[in-house]
Amino acid sequence: MPKYIFITGGVVSSLGKGIASASIGKMIEAKGLKVAMQKLDPYINVDPGTMNPYQHGEVYVTEDGAETDLDLGHYERFTASSIGRLNNVTTGQLYYSVIAKERRGDYLGATVQVVPHITDEITERIREVSKGRRVDVVIVEVGGTVGDIESLPFLEAIRQFRLEVGRDNVINIHLTLVPFIRAAGELKTKPTQHSVGRLREIGIQPDILLCRTEKKLAKGLKDKIALFCNVESDAVIEARDVQTIYEVPLIFQEQGLDKVICRFLRLDYKVGSLSEWKKNVVEVSLHPKHMIRIAVVGKYIELQDAYKSIYEALKHGGIANNAGVIFKKIDAEKLEHGRPEKFLKDCDGVLVPGGFGTRGVEGKIKAIQYCRENRVPYFGICLGMQCAVIEFARNILGMKGANSTEFNKKTSYPVISLLEEQQNVTQMGGTMRLGAYPCILKKGANAAKAYRAEKVSERHRHRYEFNNKFQDLFEKAGMKVTGVYPQGDLVEIVEIEDHPWFLAVQFHPEFSSKPDQAHPLFREFIRSALSYRDHRLEGAVLPEAGAEALRPVSEIEVA
Ligand code: GLN
């Protein structure tokens, strides 16, 4: 039977519970143990697929086609655990299933209630993630903040779960905030005490506290927190702000968090080595040899979380090339009115990510035209590919008004159109082309060269598709189809032949990139951006290059 770690959060949201959970997973895996990761989300939506990015940030797609919380992306990037549909449970899913059982008559006349029916459904889902597989430790992150009405059933369920599986098999970790009050010049522990108090009221005594803080937590303060919160003093762990999230597992391990976890869970303690991770990921991120600037042209640019996996995958591509990436985040709508060179001339590569709806599309198309004409490396993802096709149709093939039928149903040149299987879809939730599909690569093209393979599998999330009626015209004019989905003859990758790197994909490679194993397309995109940078800076006054090299990793600029 596996051991269980439950992670809750207190005081405020956005403390980085997902990264903390993923980091604990990484640290435990380094000991040769197998972990499974799960996120419990208290909202009533069945999944985040129909939520606006302003509400939810990125929708992370798993191989098996589930639309999930972006924390699952952290789990996949940090750990080797397999992530799919079972790894994200929402209140919506629980009620959906309980109500279906009730309608079937499964409850035999009982009054259906939050306790025990919803709570039993929760514990069943927790058990399910490790069913039929060898898993040593299951790590479950409870979404929301302690004290929220919505998370109560989850907390009640994990309280009961510990009784069911035995005290030595479960620990509770609580992530809290120790704020620095400038006027007093002090770190304050009271919010942590209150948050732990709230947890105890519902019967959960945390075993370990992870304290988010801007300043160092002195020994005296840790002892104070330990005493007031009733935890052992080596179980108060400082989680200070770091320069790169990939440092977090190292920081936890340095403070002996792994030892404490093993002690509480009665697991034999083995030293786990994170030295490869430290050398290949953290050190390169902190002290890269080169710096490059990549423009991301999107419509949710002001939101940190909307393109989470894209930014991470770009960083991974950077790591693979010993380069730090400065993101220039460009609001596509602004490009609609301005000259693209004003925004893009200091960039070494441009990426247009996925998206839905018309807003900003014309700006994205302008950015793509600039890249095509000026031989700037371009990487289009999903909508970013569709826009590249539209741009080419309008400006090279002379198809005036060419468009996707998503944006103009009556266009005379529907170069992107609805998939046949999508024509009669009326329900919006979970009905896109979702999850991993195979893709056959064309020999000799940049995509095949990057992957060093003939066939790959990539994840999708879209309804619209390249319209095969036009394929010949595109091919003849120089936009080549270099990846296809074999069964349905669907276009998955296009490239412009006569361009150093102009590649656009219908799928989402960003979801499967890892810091120590950059996705091949991101790695090669950054590589070509680096050569473009040398060319761009040729003859430029050297101090610019020097100044760039001194900048910290993954800096963000907003245009
Ligand atoms: N809106 C487009 C479609 O549905 C692109 C989707 C995306 O970029 N994820 O096909």
Side-chain angles (χ1 to χ4, degrees):
M1 197 197 78
K3 304 279 183 175
Y4 290 87
I5 300 177
F6 291 106
I7 302 178
T8 54
V11 186
V12 288
S13 58
S14 303
L15 289 180
K17 213 174 341 127
I19 290 167
S21 306
S23 299
I24 290 172
K26 176 80 198 164
M27 202 176 59
I28 292 177
E29 261 186 2
K31 301 176 179 305
L33 295 171
K34 267 206 152 339
V35 304
M37 310 277 313
Q38 189 178 44
K39 170 97 193 264
L40 307 177
D41 271 314
Y43 49 73
I44 300 177
N45 302 62
V46 171
D47 60 44
T50 51
M51 277 190 229
N52 187 314
Y54 284 111
Q55 300 277 320
H56 188 269
E58 165 186 281
V59 174
Y60 185 79
V61 182
T62 57
E63 292 234 319
D64 62 358
E67 297 174 278
T68 71
D69 186 77
L70 58 83
D71 281 329
L72 276 81
H74 294 308
Y75 305 163
E76 272 209 66
R77 288 187 279 272
F78 279 74
T79 74
S81 67
S82 74
I83 301 285
R85 192 166 291 288
L86 296 176
N87 303 77
N88 194 188
V89 176
T90 67
T91 296
Q93 287 169 23
L94 298 164
Y95 275 83
Y96 208 82
S97 146
V98 166
I99 291 171
K101 286 181 187 167
E102 185 272 336
R103 290 289 83 185
R104 264 201 321 260
D106 290 5
Y107 296 118
L108 305 174
T111 307
V112 181
Q113 290 175 301
V114 173
V115 183
H117 300 99
I118 295 294
T119 47
D120 282 354
E121 193 77 22
I122 297 171
T123 50
E124 202 179 294
R125 301 290 176 106
I126 294 171
R127 288 174 195 276
E128 234 172 331
V129 278
S130 60
K131 219 175 247 166
R133 295 189 294 134
R134 186 202 130 198
V135 175
D136 302 304
V137 182
V138 177
I139 300 173
V140 182
E141 177 189 347
V142 184
T145 308
V146 168
D148 296 347
I149 296 176
E150 289 90 346
S151 41
L152 272 177
F154 291 104
L155 297 173
E156 172 59 15
I158 66 173
R159 184 192 67 77
Q160 294 180 9
F161 193 79
R162 192 173 201 176
L163 296 177
E164 285 171 29
V165 298
R167 288 189 183 275
D168 293 344
N169 296 322
V170 176
I171 54 171
N172 287 301
I173 299 184
H174 190 54
L175 176 68
T176 128
L177 176 70
V178 179
F180 179 72
I181 305 297
R182 221 158 285 279
E186 270 179 47
L187 286 167
K188 291 292 181 189
T189 66
K190 194 72 82 191
T192 298
Q193 297 177 41
H194 279 298
S195 185
V196 170
R198 283 308 279 270
L199 263 182
R200 277 207 305 253
E201 265 169 41
I202 42 185
I204 296 174
Q205 165 64 53
D207 303 283
I208 296 172
L209 295 175
L210 303 178
C211 304
R212 278 306 304 272
T213 161
E214 288 172 53
K215 308 254 177 220
K216 195 169 167 42
L217 276 191
K219 170 92 174 51
L221 213 65
K222 281 191 178 177
D223 289 345
K224 181 177 171 190
I225 295 174
L227 182 69
F228 285 124
C229 297
N230 199 26
V231 302
E232 292 175 33
S233 77
D234 64 349
V236 178
I237 305 289
E238 171 190 302
R240 212 166 353 143
D241 297 349
V242 280
Q243 263 188 292
T244 158
I245 52 170
Y246 300 121
E247 236 180 313
V248 179
L250 303 179
I251 289 197
F252 284 171
Q253 199 189 38
E254 274 161 23
Q255 296 180 67
L257 176 58
D258 55 341
K259 279 196 197 132
V260 179
I261 290 177
C262 289
R263 186 168 86 228
F264 290 160
L265 284 177
R266 318 238 156 171
L267 281 168
D268 290 336
Y269 176 70
K270 279 182 258 162
V271 195
S273 170
L274 289 169
S275 55
E276 295 275 293
W277 182 266
K278 183 172 180 193
K279 186 169 119 236
N280 301 336
V281 176
V282 177
E283 269 161 19
V284 182
S285 302
L286 295 177
H287 313 288
K289 194 161 158 214
H290 318 280
M291 286 306 286
I292 52 165
R293 188 181 286 115
I294 299 292
V296 176
V297 183
K299 72 169 173 179
Y300 298 109
I301 268 333
E302 69 283 18
L303 287 182
Q304 256 204 56
D305 283 348
Y307 306 115
K308 189 103 220 161
S309 296
I310 296 273
Y311 295 135
E312 292 308 314
L314 283 170
K315 287 188 207 168
H316 306 162
I319 292 172
N321 287 287
N322 206 341
V325 181
I326 300 169
F327 302 124
K328 183 162 184 176
K329 302 182 171 185
I330 300 174
D331 179 350
E333 269 184 302
K334 287 201 185 135
L335 262 174
E336 279 173 16
H337 314 292
R339 285 185 2 257
E341 52 273 34
K342 194 176 126 222
F343 296 88
L344 298 172
K345 71 169 186 304
D346 60 349
C347 295
D348 307 308
V350 176
L351 185 148
V352 175
F356 298 83
T358 340
R359 183 166 73 81
V361 164
E362 293 303 319
K364 293 175 186 175
I365 292 175
K366 251 173 132 176
I368 295 168
Q369 180 178 6
Y370 176 85
C371 292
R372 183 178 54 72
E373 291 175 350
N374 295 284
R375 302 174 68 76
V376 180
Y378 173 69
F379 192 10
I381 290 179
C382 210
L383 180 63
M385 171 205 152
Q386 300 176 353
C387 289
V389 168
I390 297 169
E391 190 279 323
F392 196 86
R394 289 184 191 169
N395 300 325
I396 296 288
L397 299 174
M399 299 176 175
K400 208 163 162 265
N403 218 331
S404 160
T405 53
E406 179 180 2
F407 313 128
N408 179 4
K409 283 202 172 47
K410 296 201 192 93
T411 168
S412 354
Y413 302 103
V415 287
I416 303 290
S417 60
L418 208 53
L419 278 171
E420 211 167 296
E421 69 207 39
Q422 290 286 337
Q423 308 277 4
N424 300 319
V425 166
T426 50
Q427 298 267 326
M428 286 299 132
T431 54
M432 280 187 254
R433 182 172 179 236
L434 286 168
Y437 288 92
C439 171
I440 307 282
L441 304 171
K442 186 175 151 195
K443 274 208 185 87
N446 274 340
K449 281 194 217 150
Y451 282 108
R452 293 181 204 120
E454 288 169 13
K455 187 177 177 189
V456 291
S457 168
E458 291 284 5
R459 298 178 210 181
H460 294 68
R461 181 171 186 254
H462 63 115
R463 291 188 203 280
Y464 294 82
E465 194 77 49
F466 183 97
N467 186 341
N468 281 333
K469 252 191 2 213
F470 298 95
Q471 193 172 327
D472 278 350
L473 293 169
F474 278 84
E475 293 264 357
K476 279 195 193 111
M479 183 177 262
K480 303 283 179 190
V481 173
T482 63
V484 287
Y485 169 58
Q487 277 98 315
D489 208 14
L490 302 175
V491 172
E492 302 282 34
I493 312 178
V494 296
E495 291 179 41
I496 291 183
E497 235 179 0
D498 179 29
H499 190 290
W501 181 271
F502 188 108
L503 189 148
V505 296
Q506 185 58 78
F507 48 79
H508 289 273
E510 71 274 22
F511 294 143
S512 49
S513 185
K514 290 182 182 244
D516 48 355
Q517 239 176 297
H519 187 286
L521 296 180
F522 279 90
R523 186 192 68 221
E524 293 310 308
F525 170 56
I526 298 292
R527 190 195 304 277
S528 64
L530 271 168
S531 16
Y532 179 77
R533 173 186 183 277
D534 292 342
H535 159 80
R536 179 172 71 81
L537 293 178
E538 223 166 77
V541 252
L542 268 175
E544 194 201 339
E548 278 188 46
L550 289 175
R551 303 176 88 141
V553 70
S554 302
E555 232 184 71
I556 292 164
E557 297 172 347
V558 182

